[in-house]
Amino acid sequence: MELRQLEYFLACCDQGTFTAAARSLHVVQSAVSTGVAKLERELGVRLFDRTRTVLVLTDAGRAAILPAREALRARDEVRDAIAGLRGEVRGDVVLGALVNVATIDLAGAFEVIHQRHPGISIAMRQSPQGSAGNVRLLRNGSLDLTLLGGDVEDQSGITAYPLAAEPLVLVTHPDHPLARAGRFVADDLEHERVIDYPPGWGTRTIIDRQIPRRDSVIEVADQVFGIQLARSGFGVTAVPASVAAVQTDAGVASCADRDLTWVIYVAHSDSRSLTTAASAVLDIVREVCGPPSDVTA
């Protein structure tokens, strides 16, 4: 059994298909499918049921996830120990991403990481379930660190550090009455066609909590497309102010009676220690992207 086979197996668990797993690892698809098949032969079990569209974990596959992750973590700890003797910080760090990171200077943080620790390699992963998906992947060990959007009030077992905050605003057709007024109240959305985002996204969590009574007509998984729909008059949508600011020809209104503050956090799990590389990435992201005196949430 090779560690590379375990890495292929876990990538398939996280991505759902051989093709997506190969893309995330920057290898050819045949290497992943062959590696997983070889691992199955060596273990004498099927780890996945192959359907026409996705890979479905078998009971054996589910049982193998945790020890496989621990094996790769042990490999990283060995690398950490040797690098530490040389005075180096190096290793792979998997960071959960968000659709919108315009509020923080993530590119600047990555540049500082490269300058200080060129031996650190960062892989970004984006969950279709947004922040909720990132939390799940953080807890099961798929991510070392993650960005979260919205709030972390209901998230136990993680430590999250706020990096930046901004309001959600309502984007509309340029001639919409709410845009002309420049403001709206929660009750207004009972009479508007609301363009929502998938459950688990930080923006959706805030709107669900603050404005549960609304006429939701569609869900889209792309804020830019949501704004395009709103600008055309299809409906209205709530997005972070920095996202709305890019679309200068759309109408915008601020909420007058609810706190729609959207916060970006960087977080890690409390149940496992960070590698030296992950700890360095966390510190630099907080240094470059965070407020002058951020606090643990």
Side-chain angles (χ1 to χ4, degrees):
M1 184 187 304
E2 300 175 1
L3 290 175
R4 175 64 68 178
Q5 294 170 351
L6 298 180
E7 190 172 17
Y8 290 163
F9 162 65
L10 291 174
C12 290
C13 293
D14 296 337
Q15 302 296 326
T17 68
F18 288 128
T19 300
R23 188 181 305 118
S24 72
L25 295 169
H26 305 291
V27 298
V28 296
Q29 186 268 342
S30 59
V32 175
S33 57
T34 300
V36 171
K38 184 177 179 182
L39 179 62
E40 289 177 321
R41 287 195 299 272
E42 292 178 0
L43 294 174
V45 295
R46 292 184 67 85
L47 299 172
F48 297 104
D49 287 326
R50 279 77 162 165
T51 72
R52 295 182 63 182
T53 55
V54 296
L55 298 170
V56 179
L57 279 164
T58 62
D59 289 342
R62 282 187 287 272
I65 291 177
L66 182 58
R69 293 202 193 283
E70 292 302 322
L72 294 185
R73 181 169 291 275
R75 174 201 62 184
D76 294 340
E77 289 174 350
V78 171
R79 289 176 175 171
D80 265 4
I82 301 303
L85 289 175
R86 299 170 178 158
E88 301 173 350
V89 178
R90 61 187 308 110
D92 299 330
V93 177
V94 185
L95 173 68
L98 294 174
V99 170
N100 169 43
V101 293
T103 316
I104 60 174
D105 185 15
L106 193 60
F110 285 177
E111 179 60 26
V112 173
I113 291 166
H114 177 67
Q115 290 173 353
R116 294 184 190 173
H117 310 295
I120 292 179
S121 176
I122 299 174
M124 297 190 73
R125 301 285 184 266
Q126 186 170 309
S127 169
Q129 290 77 44
S131 291
N134 284 351
V135 169
R136 177 179 59 80
L137 295 173
L138 189 67
R139 286 176 172 154
N140 72 20
S142 299
L143 301 176
D144 298 302
L145 303 168
T146 190
L147 299 175
L148 300 175
D151 62 58
V152 294
E153 290 180 6
D154 302 325
Q155 305 298 348
S156 61
I158 66 171
T159 296
Y161 305 93
L163 300 176
E166 62 179 312
L168 297 183
V169 296
L170 198 68
V171 178
T172 72
H173 185 276
D175 295 328
H176 195 287
L178 294 178
R180 291 199 298 269
R183 63 189 293 277
F184 73 100
V185 296
D187 289 347
D188 289 332
L189 297 194
E190 290 189 55
H191 312 292
E192 299 289 339
R193 293 165 53 89
V194 177
I195 302 160
D196 269 327
Y197 300 97
W201 283 35
T203 50
R204 174 65 180 269
T205 301
I206 293 172
I207 295 299
D208 281 348
R209 180 175 292 128
Q210 296 291 339
I211 312 178
R213 294 167 55 190
R214 61 186 187 276
D215 181 18
S216 178
V217 295
I218 191 173
E219 284 183 10
V220 297
D222 184 329
Q223 289 180 340
V224 173
F225 182 53
I227 289 174
Q228 290 174 346
L229 288 173
R231 189 179 57 199
S232 72
F234 180 86
V236 300
T237 191
V239 299
S242 61
V243 179
V246 177
Q247 305 294 331
T248 55
D249 55 346
V252 176
S254 301
C255 188
D257 67 340
R258 295 288 191 276
D259 180 8
L260 300 186
T261 302
W262 185 77
V263 182
I264 291 184
Y265 300 86
V266 61
H268 64 83
S269 171
D270 294 335
S271 64
R272 59 181 60 86
S273 60
L274 292 174
T275 64
T276 303
S279 183
V281 170
L282 174 63
D283 290 344
I284 293 172
V285 168
R286 293 180 64 193
E287 172 191 331
V288 175
C289 302
S293 58
D294 56 4
V295 294
T296 302

